[in-house]
Amino acid sequence: MIPTEDASARKREIEDKLKQEQETLSFIRESLEKSDQLTKGMVSILSSFESRLMQLENSIIPVHKQTENLQRLQENVDQTLSCLDHVISYYHVDMEVQEDVTLEHLPEAVLQDIICISAWLLEYGRNQDFMNVYFQVRSSQLDRSIKGLKEHFRKNSATSALHSPAVQTKRKETPTKKPPKRPGKDDVVDIEIDSYIHCISAFVKLAQSEYALLTEIIPENHQKMIFDSLIQEALDNLMLEGDNIVSAARRAIMRHDYSAVLTIFPILRHLKQTKPDFDATLQGTAASTKNKLPALIPSMESIGAKALEEFADSIKNDPDKEYNMPKDGTVHELTSNAILFLQQLLDFQETAGAMLASQESSSSASSYSSEFSRKLLSTYIYKVLGNLQLNLSNKAKVYEDPALRAVFLHNNYNYILKSLEKSELIQLVAVTHKKVEGSYRELIEQEIQNYQRSWLRVTEHLTERNIPAFQPGTKLKDKERQIIKDKFKGFNDGLEELCKIQQGWAVPDKEQRDAIRQAQKRVVSEAYRAFLQCANISFTKNPEKYHRYSAEQVEEMIDKLFDTSA
């Protein structure tokens, strides 16, 4: 038998284990209940999430479709811009921008594609975006095209004889009293002028082309506005360069370099020639846009008229009397410069006349007839010539020798007349002063006579006055012999002195030089021969001492006048 105590202990042990098992079972039941509740909650959450996910999907699908549409729109815009940029490759601009220049647009198939894309963008309400992009791209391309043309022209002009159609006659050597400019500077200026003239023509042609293309792509009610915006950058750059040219001309006037102002003449003429096409091309744009480039016309006319006025005054008041005067009496630099300046005005008669007309009244110079402008230019040239004549007369007083003074004035007057006759200046001056040619011939003849007076001190010794009357075989008195000796000596010394001095003088015109020599030979030779006949008597034991020259030798000496190489 198991002891009672052991049995009791065993029983308690079993009861404790049972109790533990019951507690474990109870815990498991509670856990299962909680698990069921959690499961139900999770199922509920998943059901709710599934419902919400379906709602989200229903919302996302339309957004996704819209996104795809937007992506296609973006791709279409990019393709449109690419096609528009393709226009560049179809531009063909004659680099000399002649009047018959033509621009090739897009091939018809490409253009039709762009038109379709434009219509599609308009239909889906993207018109403002694509039009803004369009004018920005085309504006930049227009400006680059003109800058590229300018650079191309400059490079080619530096090594070739390209010539602007607006400048029908190349500018001649610049007239100036100042030291010659560094070699090549005038050529650089010519290139800049021609380059700007070409860019003006290029702008008009390219703007016309842009507008023609724009009308195919941009809605009609937006065309003028987009075109106005499109041309602004290129137009502003042209204006800036034009203003710089005007400013440079104004500075040149301040330093009395009137030749530099000539740069605006071909530009001004071309602006006037281009203005009708410019106005027609920009018709419908804002007034501020249409008036930009034409605003240069009155500005250039004003500065040009000021230069002409001050140039005429400078010819009259040139103070150079003692310095830079030709020692040989040849043509003064002022004369050649003045004539050269006037000759250059012939290339721009209408432009120069309009400048002068603009100063006559506050109204536009274009309101004046071409005949009136021509008369104003004729009067202006005559005024310059009058100022030049007065200045030359004052300068001639520097010469102490009246004969050299006469040679100087003769050379200058003859140079002026010959220059007038070789150009259209004589006809232009004759519009208002018909006797100008005759006036200069009288002045030239007058100075020849003044020069010939210098020989009176030679020929006065050859007169028959005081020569003693004698009979054959009659012996002369000492006083009578001395008179003849003095006459020979006075003639010889005067002849030698004049020939020595006047040999270093200059008469550049060969025809005039020969005529003066011939006239002087005739006068002196005839007087000398007559004197030799009268003095053909015995008056000295050494006749060779006094009778140094034969008549032929005297003529040979006069033939060497105005010849430094003799």
Side-chain angles (χ1 to χ4, degrees):
M1 282 184 71
I2 299 173
T4 303
E5 292 181 359
D6 291 338
S8 296
R10 180 67 179 169
K11 182 179 179 182
R12 284 195 300 270
E13 181 179 353
I14 292 172
E15 288 177 351
D16 290 338
K17 287 182 178 182
L18 181 60
K19 185 177 179 181
Q20 291 178 355
E21 292 295 332
Q22 288 175 342
E23 290 176 353
T24 300
L25 180 61
S26 177
F27 174 76
I28 290 173
R29 287 175 178 172
E30 290 177 358
S31 297
L32 287 174
E33 290 177 358
K34 289 181 180 180
S35 177
D36 288 340
Q37 292 176 355
L38 290 173
T39 300
K40 290 179 180 179
M42 182 61 68
V43 170
S44 176
I45 291 172
L46 290 175
S47 298
S48 176
F49 178 76
E50 182 180 8
S51 175
R52 292 182 181 183
L53 184 60
M54 291 179 64
Q55 292 177 359
L56 180 61
E57 184 178 358
N58 292 334
S59 300
I60 286 296
I61 289 175
V63 173
H64 177 67
K65 291 180 179 180
Q66 184 65 25
T67 300
E68 289 181 339
N69 291 335
L70 290 174
Q71 288 176 341
R72 284 195 297 270
L73 285 173
Q74 181 64 44
E75 291 174 357
N76 289 332
V77 170
D78 291 340
Q79 291 175 1
T80 301
L81 294 178
S82 176
C83 290
L84 291 176
D85 283 337
H86 195 53
V87 174
I88 301 167
S89 63
Y90 289 92
Y91 270 151
H92 173 67
V93 185
D94 179 3
M95 285 304 175
E96 291 187 338
V97 196
Q98 302 291 345
E99 290 302 321
D100 59 348
V101 97
T102 57
L103 299 176
E104 298 179 1
H105 292 302
L106 292 170
E108 186 62 27
V110 176
L111 180 59
Q112 291 304 319
D113 287 343
I114 295 179
I115 293 173
C116 290
I117 293 171
S118 171
W120 186 85
L121 290 172
L122 291 171
E123 181 180 355
Y124 283 88
R126 309 295 298 180
N127 55 320
Q128 197 62 44
D129 290 341
F130 99 85
M131 285 189 293
N132 288 339
V133 172
Y134 178 88
F135 93 73
Q136 290 171 5
V137 171
R138 298 311 309 150
S139 174
S140 177
Q141 180 56 40
L142 174 61
D143 187 55
R144 285 201 305 270
S145 296
I146 294 177
K147 289 179 179 177
L149 171 65
K150 181 187 298 184
E151 186 63 26
H152 171 88
F153 182 83
R154 287 174 177 172
K155 289 181 179 179
N156 282 270
S157 296
T159 56
S160 65
L162 284 180
H163 186 65
S164 169
V167 186
Q168 298 173 0
T169 305
K170 194 69 172 176
R171 290 197 303 120
K172 304 175 182 67
E173 181 182 348
T174 302
T176 175
K177 297 185 302 176
K178 300 186 177 183
K181 297 177 182 178
R182 65 179 183 272
K185 183 174 182 180
D186 286 344
D187 293 336
V188 172
V189 173
D190 286 337
I191 292 173
E192 291 298 323
I193 295 170
D194 289 351
S195 173
Y196 187 63
I197 288 173
H198 279 73
C199 287
I200 292 173
S201 295
F203 172 80
V204 174
K205 294 298 181 182
L206 291 173
Q208 291 172 347
S209 177
E210 288 290 350
Y211 188 74
L213 182 63
L214 178 145
T215 56
E216 301 282 351
I217 299 171
I218 304 299
E220 183 176 358
N221 59 327
H222 292 285
Q223 289 173 2
K224 294 296 183 181
M225 179 188 68
I226 296 299
F227 180 65
D228 195 313
S229 300
L230 190 154
I231 62 176
Q232 286 301 319
E233 183 177 2
L235 186 56
D236 285 344
N237 286 335
L238 281 179
M239 274 297 299
L240 178 61
E241 190 169 352
D243 289 338
N244 290 338
I245 292 172
V246 172
S247 297
R250 187 175 290 109
R251 291 192 298 271
I253 292 177
M254 293 178 64
R255 63 177 183 269
H256 308 295
D257 182 12
Y258 305 106
S259 64
V261 184
L262 291 173
T263 59
I264 69 174
F265 279 71
I267 296 174
L268 178 57
R269 182 173 66 182
H270 191 66
L271 280 172
K272 289 186 173 183
Q273 292 173 344
T274 311
K275 188 175 184 300
D277 289 338
F278 182 88
D279 292 342
T281 302
L282 271 64
Q283 184 178 9
T285 58
S288 59
T289 301
K290 289 187 294 185
N291 295 332
K292 279 185 178 180
L293 204 58
L296 287 174
I297 293 178
S299 178
M300 288 188 173
E301 283 184 336
S302 177
I303 200 70
K306 181 177 176 64
L308 293 178
E309 179 183 357
E310 292 198 12
F311 175 77
D313 291 340
S314 72
I315 295 298
K316 179 179 179 180
N317 302 317
D318 177 58
D320 189 7
K321 292 182 179 179
E322 298 181 4
Y323 304 100
N324 205 30
M325 290 293 289
K327 295 180 180 180
D328 58 359
T330 191
V331 178
H332 196 280
E333 186 181 6
L334 178 67
T335 302
S336 58
N337 288 343
I339 294 299
L340 187 56
F341 187 90
L342 294 179
Q343 287 174 336
Q344 291 179 86
L345 289 183
L346 288 176
D347 298 334
F348 312 101
Q349 292 185 43
E350 185 176 349
T351 302
M355 287 179 177
L356 295 169
S358 69
Q359 298 300 100
E360 291 292 311
S361 172
S362 59
S363 60
S364 172
S366 61
S367 63
Y368 292 94
S369 67
S370 58
E371 183 61 28
F372 179 72
S373 297
R374 183 173 172 83
K375 288 181 178 179
L376 287 177
L377 184 57
S378 174
T379 301
Y380 172 79
I381 293 175
Y382 187 78
K383 175 184 177 181
V384 172
L385 293 175
N387 290 348
L388 179 59
Q389 181 180 336
L390 178 61
N391 199 325
L392 290 171
S393 180
N394 290 331
K395 289 183 184 300
K397 296 176 183 178
V398 171
Y399 298 113
E400 296 181 359
D401 192 330
L404 181 55
R405 188 183 309 154
V407 169
F408 171 77
L409 290 176
H410 163 271
N411 285 333
N412 282 272
Y413 294 154
N414 183 67
Y415 177 85
I416 293 171
L417 178 59
K418 294 292 184 181
S419 298
L420 293 177
E421 291 175 336
K422 289 179 181 178
S423 65
E424 297 179 16
L425 282 172
I426 194 71
Q427 292 90 345
L428 188 54
V429 177
V431 171
T432 53
H433 299 83
K434 299 185 182 300
K435 298 181 178 180
V436 65
E437 183 176 0
S439 298
Y440 273 107
R441 294 196 184 279
E442 291 178 3
L443 288 171
I444 292 169
E445 183 58 34
Q446 179 182 330
E447 295 307 328
I448 291 177
Q449 293 176 6
N450 290 337
Y451 162 75
Q452 289 175 338
R453 291 192 182 95
S454 66
W455 283 85
L456 291 177
R457 59 180 174 173
V458 175
T459 58
E460 67 178 359
H461 298 287
L462 305 177
T463 61
E464 296 180 5
R465 188 177 66 254
N466 298 327
I467 293 182
F470 62 92
Q471 297 295 329
T474 302
K475 186 178 181 180
L476 296 177
K477 298 177 181 180
D478 290 343
K479 182 178 181 180
E480 292 173 337
R481 288 195 298 269
Q482 188 61 46
I483 290 175
I484 296 176
K485 290 178 182 179
D486 290 343
K487 284 183 175 293
F488 268 109
K489 185 178 186 305
F491 172 78
N492 292 334
D493 291 346
L495 175 68
E496 292 170 356
E497 181 184 3
L498 281 186
C499 287
K500 180 180 179 181
I501 294 174
Q502 295 184 8
Q503 182 176 311
W505 295 353
V507 178
D509 188 319
K510 183 180 185 302
E511 182 180 348
Q512 287 288 310
R513 184 171 63 248
D514 291 344
I516 293 173
R517 286 172 177 171
Q518 191 64 35
Q520 205 57 55
K521 279 196 304 182
R522 183 174 60 252
V523 172
V524 176
S525 179
E526 289 178 358
Y528 190 53
R529 291 177 190 275
F531 170 74
L532 291 178
Q533 290 180 355
C534 294
N536 188 22
I537 54 177
S538 179
F539 64 93
T540 179
K541 294 180 180 179
N542 302 305
E544 67 279 358
K545 177 180 178 181
Y546 298 97
H547 190 183
R548 298 179 194 171
Y549 307 105
S550 66
E552 291 74 19
Q553 288 175 320
V554 170
E555 291 180 353
E556 290 176 1
M557 293 173 70
I558 294 176
D559 274 332
K560 295 179 181 179
L561 296 177
F562 320 120
D563 186 358
T564 57
S565 63

